[in-house]
Every structure is written in C-alpha cells, then in structure tokens.
Amino acid sequence: MIFTPLLNLGIKVLNLFAGTKSFSVLNYHRVMPNADLSSEQALTPELFEQQLIWLKRHFKVLPLPEAFALAQAKQLPRNAVVITIDDGFYDCFAYVYPLLKKHQLTATFFISTAGLEQGYLWENQISYAICHAPQDLMRLQLQQSTFLIGTTAQRRASIAAITELTKYQTLQQRQLMINDILAQCNCPAHLHQFLTREQVSIMHQNGMTIGAHTVHHPILALETLATAQQEISDSKLLLEQIIDSPIEFFAYPNGKYQQDFTDDHVAIVRDLGFKAAFSTEWGVAQPETDCVYKLKRFTPWDRSPGKFCLRLAINTLAERYHFKFFKSRVRQHVS
C-alpha cells in the first residue's frame, strides 16, 4: 500500500519533533448511517470506529481535562490527541458514545442547549423542511434569490447554500428566514434529532466531558455583546444543572477568529470562568504559549489510515518553525 511508507515516515518524524506542550484536538460533528440530504459530510459509524482504531494505534488519546492540565505542566506524552464532537445531535449517544466505550476512549461533547429543549437546531429545520417538501414544489424564494429543489441533487445543493446563507444572519433574521422556508415547504413538524438531558447526564457519569457551545449556535460576532454573553452563560448554566458539575470548556460556533468571534467574546468566556475555549482554526492546542481561549482544532476526513494519520502528523508538525511550509498543505487532500 502506497501510504504505508508515508505513514511510517510521518510517525517517525512526528516522534522526533513532537513536544510535551501541545496536543491535537480532533473536531467531529455527525456520525450516522444512511445520511440524509443535509449530512453529506457525516462519517459512517464504521469509518468513525476505524479512525478510533487508527488513533489508538498511532497516537495517545487523552481526555480533554487531562491533556489541558498536562500541557500546562509541560508533561504531555508525545503525539497526544483529544477527541471533540460539536453540537449534540442524537448520534452522539446512538453511535459515538457506544464506540468510544467499546474502545475505552473518551471525548468532549460541546452542546448547543437549544437542541435539548427543542429536539433540533436551526439547520435541522432547514434540511428537514426541504427534504420533506412536496415533490411538485420546484423552487424556493428567499431574500430575492431562487433555490431549485426539483431533484435530489438540487435539494442537496439548496440545503447547503441556504444553510450557509442563513448561518451568517443574526438570530432574529435567521428565524424569520427559517419561518419563510417552513411556510413555503408546508412543513411545520420536525423529528427529534438531538440528545436528551438524561443522555447528557449518562455520558458525563461514564467519563465523557461536557462542554458548552452556546444556546442557539449563533455567529457571536453578528450579535450584540449582551446577546452573546447570554448565549454563552445560559448554555453553561443549563449544562451545569444537568450534570451537577462545572462546565470548564467552551467551543465557539463556527469558530473562525475575527470572523465568527472576537477578543470581546474571548473576554466574556474568560470572565464566565471557563478554563479554555476552542476555535476551528487548524493547528494544535498549545495552552502554555497560546491564548487558552483561542485554542486550535483539527478536522479529520480522510478515508484511509495512511492519509488520516499522515495529515494528523503534518497538522502537528506545521506548528513548528522548521515545518511552517506544511501550513498551506494541511487542508489539502494528502496525495
């Protein structure tokens, strides 16, 4: 297999240069079989389990609180990795949690708490409405734009485009747009697609870390600071009530620094008593040298062990001076 020597080389180089101050944080979202039109990027349970096996074989998988503490003490094992899952959809309990238990691993679940109350998040309303729109409905009108939904391919493309458009609206504007979509699709009902409070509690009691991810998953930079603070603090308080323990870690929705959140939001997170917070900027988390409220995460998607582990190795090495040229290549498919 062509990637075996590349993988072996990557791991050897990583073992030489990996330090004890930083760790990789993997950022997952959905793990589900038979993905609907809205879940093209979801991993199947089989692939997610295979990635867990690769991680156990080539890296040291740690719980987030342990990795954070060891990094601050400069005592991390080499090739340390933390697993995180964002949002809190039902597949966290149905597929992710059982597979983590099977392989004796832990993860951190960053949960948007509106889903605990409603059973879904805003993007689920969009995908559900379009997926279940009448077959003779050929198009949607939204903000003077037309979105074709006559075929399966068109519906998939329109879900992606409308979700991206709706994402970068204030909470109030977003809800108005969603109401318009629901009305055009004649689709007021919605299936439950989220964790329950009981499931969150069970996962916490069995070694999983629970983190906050706001209430409604807004782009914080689009909201007033008062709204942003309420979104962050309310999610923290509700999760603390559910697990009866402090919520110490936070993940910014969408997570791009200076685009989705700013230093004002960093200050809010710090003042609310979180130990650390995570962006979606690629790289490794370095609590000793970086701002602990802007730590980096890495999104894995490769389908082969060579590509998966090699990209993880490159992502780690790209933070070191002698390997800065890797930065522009980490997001590209390894070939």
Side-chain angles (χ1 to χ4, degrees):
M1 179 178 172
I2 189 171
F3 287 103
T4 300
L6 289 177
L7 170 60
N8 292 336
L9 176 61
I11 297 299
K12 287 180 180 178
V13 173
L14 189 57
N15 285 332
L16 286 174
F17 289 94
T20 58
K21 300 178 183 178
S22 63
F23 55 95
S24 291
V25 184
L26 303 190
N27 179 205
Y28 293 94
H29 283 81
R30 305 299 303 268
V31 175
M32 54 194 298
N34 305 318
D36 63 19
L37 296 181
S38 65
S39 304
E40 192 172 26
Q41 300 302 318
L43 274 66
T44 63
E46 293 78 15
L47 179 56
F48 179 68
E49 181 173 19
Q50 190 61 64
Q51 291 192 356
L52 295 182
I53 293 170
W54 299 336
L55 287 170
K56 287 181 67 175
R57 184 174 300 158
H58 299 291
F59 299 89
K60 180 65 175 178
V61 184
L62 298 175
L64 174 54
E66 180 181 350
F68 184 77
L70 289 174
Q72 290 190 311
K74 303 179 185 179
Q75 296 177 352
L76 272 171
R78 292 181 181 275
N79 301 339
V81 168
V82 165
I83 299 169
T84 68
I85 299 93
D86 281 4
D87 300 331
F89 291 109
Y90 74 95
D91 35 292
C92 289
F93 193 79
Y95 304 108
V96 177
Y97 170 60
L99 288 172
L100 290 167
K101 286 188 65 179
K102 175 180 177 181
H103 292 281
Q104 298 180 308
L105 297 172
T106 65
T108 296
F109 294 82
F110 289 112
I111 297 172
S112 292
T113 53
L116 298 173
E117 308 298 324
Q118 300 169 345
Y120 52 85
L121 293 181
W122 64 272
E123 65 263 38
N124 302 132
Q125 292 181 284
I126 295 171
S127 60
Y128 185 83
I130 295 176
C131 286
H132 294 83
Q135 291 300 313
D136 59 355
L137 183 62
M138 297 289 105
R139 58 182 53 84
L140 296 175
Q141 299 295 136
L142 195 64
Q143 288 194 339
Q144 300 180 334
S145 297
T146 299
F147 298 90
L148 301 178
I149 61 169
T151 67
T152 297
Q154 288 175 343
R155 292 193 177 202
R156 186 187 298 277
S158 291
I159 288 170
I162 292 173
T163 300
E164 188 65 23
L165 173 65
T166 310
K167 178 193 298 181
Y168 280 95
Q169 308 292 329
T170 65
L171 288 173
Q172 183 177 17
Q173 292 169 328
R174 179 190 291 173
Q175 192 57 56
L176 289 173
M177 293 172 68
I178 290 173
N179 290 343
D180 190 4
I181 295 167
L182 293 173
Q184 291 183 62
C185 293
N186 190 27
C187 188
H190 197 283
L191 294 176
H192 192 286
Q193 295 194 7
F194 217 78
L195 290 169
T196 66
R197 293 185 180 210
E198 181 182 10
Q199 289 168 343
V200 172
S201 179
I202 290 172
M203 291 195 301
H204 167 71
Q205 292 169 11
N206 285 273
M208 305 299 150
T209 301
I210 306 300
H213 198 40
T214 72
V215 178
H216 296 97
H217 204 282
I219 302 297
L220 294 172
L222 296 178
E223 306 294 338
T224 65
L225 288 181
T227 297
Q229 179 164 12
Q230 185 172 10
E231 281 283 323
I232 299 169
S233 62
D234 284 0
S235 65
K236 185 177 192 292
L237 289 172
L238 178 58
L239 290 169
E240 287 177 338
Q241 292 173 9
I242 292 172
I243 69 172
D244 194 26
S245 294
I247 297 295
E248 299 178 326
F249 299 98
F250 178 76
Y252 301 97
N254 221 50
K256 297 182 178 63
Y257 178 55
Q258 298 293 23
Q259 178 177 333
D260 304 321
F261 73 98
T262 68
D263 289 332
D264 289 330
H265 305 105
V266 168
I268 290 172
V269 171
R270 181 193 64 228
D271 293 345
L272 286 172
F274 289 97
K275 283 187 176 180
F278 292 85
S279 70
T280 56
E281 300 293 337
W282 284 30
V284 295
Q286 302 181 86
E288 180 65 19
T289 57
D290 292 343
C291 173
V292 296
Y293 299 105
K294 294 187 295 186
L295 295 176
K296 298 175 181 178
R297 290 194 288 172
F298 174 80
T299 304
W301 63 67
D302 294 293
R303 266 54 178 173
S304 76
K307 289 183 179 181
F308 177 82
C309 296
L310 184 58
R311 192 194 305 277
L312 229 174
I314 291 173
N315 179 66
T316 302
L317 293 175
E319 295 296 318
R320 299 185 65 84
Y321 175 79
H322 293 94
F323 297 92
K324 290 293 185 183
F325 68 94
F326 277 144
K327 281 201 173 219
S328 63
R329 294 168 172 79
V330 172
R331 288 176 182 254
Q332 301 172 6
H333 286 291
V334 179
S335 59

